[in-house]
Amino acid sequence: MADAELTTSRRGGWVAPLISTVVTLPLAFLTLIWGLLSPMACDSCSDAESDRFDASFDTALTVLVCGLAVALLLLLVSWCLPRRPDRAGSRALFALLAPVAVVLAYLLFSGLVELP
């Protein structure tokens, strides 16, 4: 009886983290590439605009990288939680929060960067 309960409790515990991984990793990669390419928006800026952009970009890039690290940490937690029925909600919540953290990191980055 205990073996049947153990098998039942482990079935399907990997679905939410897997879907989150398939969504979060490419989204985080594209967000990072977009953030790293954004200084090209100020290639034709004047010196004053360029200085203002550079100052805001340094802070914004730090926020973006930290936000993406949080997203990866949430993804890792969703995989590492035990596959027990009482942890199913927690696993799904952490799996859902990972791509949300990527989107929030990008929105913070976009809000902090001062484009000309």
Side-chain angles (χ1 to χ4, degrees):
M1 179 84 177
D3 291 335
E5 289 176 11
L6 183 62
T7 304
T8 304
S9 68
R10 289 189 179 193
R11 192 177 334 162
W14 51 269
V15 174
L18 179 65
I19 292 171
S20 181
T21 301
V22 168
V23 171
T24 302
L25 292 181
L27 186 62
F29 176 73
L30 292 174
T31 302
L32 182 62
I33 295 299
W34 183 261
L36 292 174
L37 290 177
S38 63
M40 291 191 316
C42 198
D43 280 346
S44 62
C45 295
S46 67
D47 288 337
E49 290 174 331
S50 179
D51 291 340
R52 206 174 49 229
F53 174 80
D54 288 342
S56 67
F57 178 75
D58 292 339
T59 304
L61 186 63
T62 303
V63 168
L64 178 66
V65 170
C66 289
L68 294 178
V70 167
L72 293 177
L73 182 65
L74 289 168
L75 190 61
L76 183 66
V77 168
S78 76
W79 276 108
C80 292
L81 282 174
R83 292 184 203 161
R84 296 189 322 237
D86 62 330
R87 298 287 184 171
S90 299
R91 288 174 66 87
L93 178 66
F94 281 110
L96 177 67
L97 287 177
V100 170
V102 173
V103 171
L104 287 177
Y106 175 72
L107 291 175
L108 282 172
F109 174 79
S110 295
L112 290 173
V113 171
E114 212 173 299
L115 291 176

